[in-house]
Amino acid sequence: MERVTIFDTTLRDGEQSPGASMSVEQKLEVASQLARLGVDVIEAGFPISSPHQLEGCRLIADQVKGPAIAVLARALEKDIDCAADALRNAEHSRIHTFLATSPIHMEYKLRKKPEEVLAMAEKAVRYARNKVAEVEFSPEDGTRSEIPFLCRVLEKVIDAGARILNIPDTVGYTTPGEFSEFLRKIFEGTPNIHKAVVSVHCHNDLGLAVANSVAAVLAGARQVEVTVNGIGERAGNASLEEFVMALTVRKDILPFSVGVNTKQIWNTSRLVASITGFPIPRNKPITGENAFAHEAGIHQDGVLKKRETYEIMTPESVGRDVSQLVLGRHSGLHGFRNRLAELGMPLLDEEANKAYARFLEIADRKKEVYDDDLYVIVSDHLGKETETYSLDYFNIQSGNVAVPTATVRILSGGGRFEEAATGDGPVDAIFNAIDRSLGLSTKLLEYVVQAVTPGRQAIGEVSVSVEIDARKFVGRGASTDILEASARAYVNALNRWKAYQAARKGDRKEENEEHDAV
Ligand SMILES: [Zn+2]
């Protein structure tokens, strides 16, 4: 069987989704889990776009061993120098450089003639090749480029030393049949293409990202770029778990192997959801809560008689352990940490102690603590030490005749900020009190409550999306008390806003113009 390389761009393209920005520590956590999952390449970020990006890429290149570490660079010397610097200590490094080749991008965005673009691509690849052993080149907006010109560009960059040619469907416009045909023409029109690996990078604007990626592999592509949970620009990228499981389940017609350990899929998906604050939809293929739930009586009956009647893959094959280990208030710190390590969340001492204290609080109110609960408990604590605000206490007066009134106290930088406010309901009152205590003016865009595990004592998880300074920030909070979960979610969104501000301090503004890369 031929091997397909899995290139994960959760930390680069995924992190670009509005509201998904991660702290440097959180990126390292995700990268470490991607290494355990067994992806071949981790795209760690776009180093020149900000000091925060550079720091994240450097940390991952220094500490994560196993997969190749790739970073993005425009076809400019200063970008490539910065990329090479970020990768200095990587075990296996790759520079991923890109340049637009579609008529619309060349004319309106780059304001360059095709011949100039050709020369620029070649020069950039040669320059990068002198810095690292492996260079990937992406013609941005590839699927809307003219094929003869695209083939000329590819031929030149291969001669200049590029060994991976990535064809991005940047705007998510192509379809499986059209994309196969497009790739066929590229293979045909580029004489030296056998010297390189063809890769694809599909966006999901029409919900076709995974289908297009599968079609591409059948047409000869041997690297596929994906993200965990399919997060990414706009409607996202091809989802890692869906693509990998399509290849695994349909080996009969897709005879390709991948290096991913599918049993790590469930953990990875939960970890990324917790860290980014983007919940996994219930009906999401492979990792959604309902992905393996049979509701119709006739289906349940069939599955009980013989699983394969309605099940094309088992939950165990993606690491969803049905016989979950249940922890309770008598579980010790040691058992707690062991279980977290098994779930792919090894914590440092201090983090573990804090998370354990929170676990005990929850175990006191809720007798049985499930794996899914552990994900939310831990993600509540990741990167906490760098947070600006913390919720010290809240009190709420509410009822069917009284006007809901909330009092909150927020701690920040040694200060205590306390205020009371009323609202249309208790949640609204809490949010108003928080805004007032910090002197903020925000707009709540979205509020979603979900039970993490079944039962009346379930942990409720609240996701909010808040607009501050004309940007959207997502926050998550969990508790057995829904009002407390709401307050935590809101404070979490405010912390992401603060982290975003801190990360962008010192950004070179003009460098960000093309941040929406490939
Ligand atoms: Zn992309």
Side-chain angles (χ1 to χ4, degrees), residues 13 201 203 237 518:
D13 213 326
H201 175 109
H203 274 276
N237 289 61
V518 281

Side-chain angles (χ1 to χ4, degrees), residues 30-92:
V30 171
S32 307
Q33 178 57 28
L34 289 170
R36 279 190 288 273
L37 175 67
V39 304
D40 301 287
V41 188
I42 294 174
E43 187 164 49
F46 192 177
I48 195 135
S49 66
S50 76
H52 171 77
Q53 283 277 335
L54 175 61
E55 192 193 344
C57 293
R58 236 184 224 151
L59 192 66
I60 291 168
D62 289 357
Q63 300 201 10
V64 179
K65 305 298 167 195
I69 308 299
V71 296
L72 192 67
R74 288 169 304 181
L76 300 172
E77 285 188 7
K78 60 176 178 177
D79 279 39
I80 295 166
D81 286 337
C82 183
D85 175 42
L87 292 171
R88 216 169 24 201
N89 297 325
E91 200 174 60
H92 180 170

